[in-house]
Amino acid sequence: KLANLGEFDFTPGFSNINIDSDILSKKINISVEKRDLFGIWCSLGKCFGFDKDGVVFSEVPDVDGFLILKVKDENTRVISLGGLVLPKKEWIANILDTVKILSENDTAVSGVRIRNISLEEWDIEISSGLKFYFSLNFIPENLDDIVKKLDKKLSLEKLSYIDFRVPSRIYYR
């Protein structure tokens, strides 16, 4: 007897489920691909695990430290299993790609914060306490090169923030 395939409609922990059946040999093969944790998204007092595509797939405990990316969402949106952490996929990609660029340049990200979503802004705090402000709508042009040159051009320990929210401009204080 075959299982009701409707039971597999809501499986946020898996990215793919394949069911192959061979009626003549009376065999059914089920293969699943699980989602891998990319980071933790915290909103409204709850934290959720999300994958590299921004899909929420499990409720998780709150964490601190540098080993797992943690995003604090200051908005009052409800996050649901199987859904996306943000309403636009390109926003998710911009955040994750920016974090990747910083990590590849040995910049320890201590946290990400999604500010008022209507402003379409977010920021990263690094281990030294310095904040980087970004727009959700784009990754700053040549960010990889800029990050490599920042420490040579500026005394980062004296700064409180670097602002990348305006295209082709960098502001700092």
Side-chain angles (χ1 to χ4, degrees), residues 89-157:
K89 284 187 175 188
E90 59 268 14
W91 288 357
I92 299 165
N94 288 344
I95 290 172
L96 300 183
D97 290 345
T98 301
V99 168
K100 182 179 176 186
I101 290 169
L102 291 174
S103 296
E104 288 172 349
N105 284 288
D106 297 325
T107 304
V109 175
S110 62
V112 173
R113 180 176 59 143
I114 306 298
R115 299 164 65 174
N116 184 337
I117 201 134
S118 65
L119 299 176
E120 300 178 354
E121 298 175 346
W122 66 285
D123 62 61
I124 287 177
E125 185 173 343
I126 62 173
S127 59
S128 67
L130 179 64
K131 289 188 178 183
F132 292 80
Y133 296 119
F134 296 97
S135 168
L136 288 169
N137 296 308
F138 64 91
I139 298 173
E141 200 172 309
N142 301 317
L143 181 61
D144 187 48
D145 291 333
I146 292 169
V147 171
K148 287 177 183 171
K149 295 175 184 174
L150 274 177
D151 203 23
K152 295 174 187 165
K153 300 269 184 188
L154 302 170
S155 297
L156 296 182
E157 65 278 351

